Amino acid sequence: MKIKDIEFRKFISREKIAEKVALLARQIDEDYKGKSPLFLPILNGSFIFAADLTRQVQVPCRVTFVKHSSMQGASSAGQLKTLIGLQESLFNQDLVLVEDIMDTGLTLTRVLEELQSLGTKSVEIVTLLRKAKAREHAVQPRYIGFEIGEEFVLGYGLDYDGWGRNLQDVYKYTGQGKPGQVGN
């Protein structure tokens, strides 16, 4: 399959994704019995995963969204910039951060620090995909869908320059074509 200027091939089927999402939901249900977690999907990439996951979760829960980016440039490198902030207090809340992919874990470390500073009761992470580099980082998700290498992937919410989010399967870059900038 060609998206823009590069080739992708199917990597994880929609059936395997559905099975994994159901398993993650069961694990969350077990861990949050008697609690009412607040799911916090990180936009844009996690929106499909978050929708499928929260529809499978049986414990009472709420969902709100956050969109963030790491600021770039010499004067602000490494700072987290929240683009769409939270509209409610997180004090004493059990949060479940929903991420599409953990590349290095650096951004999630900053998000986690920011959320914990707001007086949350607990913060756990569920990610559909975790790359090898993220396994080396201090922040580790409690719930992991699939462990992958350093592949560039798209589909099921993940994109290449805005394209491919709507694909139901996850595809990986074949090495064919000349992408402008490949990486998740």
Side-chain angles (χ1 to χ4, degrees), residues 23-182:
L23 174 65
L24 293 170
R26 287 193 302 271
Q27 291 172 342
I28 290 168
D29 282 339
E30 184 64 31
D31 291 347
Y32 285 88
K33 277 185 183 171
K35 299 179 181 179
S36 300
L38 174 62
F39 285 84
L40 189 64
I42 299 174
L43 297 174
N44 287 336
S46 72
F47 79 104
I48 292 175
F49 174 46
D52 288 349
L53 179 68
T54 56
R55 286 184 295 193
Q56 296 267 345
V57 167
Q58 298 299 306
V59 295
C61 65
R62 294 176 300 127
V63 181
T64 192
F65 297 88
V66 66
K67 183 175 180 176
H68 64 83
S69 69
S70 296
M71 296 174 67
Q72 302 297 316
S75 63
S76 59
Q79 292 182 359
L80 186 70
K81 177 182 177 185
T82 301
L83 301 177
I84 300 173
L86 297 165
Q87 300 299 313
E88 59 189 282
S89 171
L90 299 182
F91 183 75
N92 211 29
Q93 298 284 323
D94 292 305
L95 296 183
V96 179
L97 286 175
V98 183
E99 184 65 288
D100 55 348
I101 187 167
M102 286 184 68
D103 287 301
T104 63
L106 295 173
T107 301
L108 267 183
T109 297
R110 292 184 190 106
V111 171
L112 194 62
E113 289 169 359
E114 183 177 316
L115 293 172
Q116 289 171 333
S117 75
L118 299 174
T120 57
K121 185 187 288 184
S122 68
V123 182
E124 296 293 348
I125 301 166
V126 57
T127 186
L128 179 66
L129 304 169
R130 182 171 68 164
K131 287 188 175 184
K133 279 185 187 174
R135 291 178 217 138
E136 302 166 5
H137 206 272
V139 172
Q140 296 301 319
R142 182 172 183 124
Y143 311 99
I144 302 164
F146 300 94
E147 300 276 8
I148 65 173
E150 295 305 312
E151 295 92 355
F152 174 64
V153 292
L154 84 148
Y156 198 70
L158 297 147
D159 73 301
Y160 167 47
D161 199 21
W163 297 94
R165 289 191 196 278
N166 62 313
L167 299 171
Q168 295 180 42
D169 305 291
V170 172
Y171 291 79
K172 74 177 187 177
Y173 175 53
T174 64
Q176 300 295 312
K178 298 282 184 190
Q181 184 177 32
V182 171

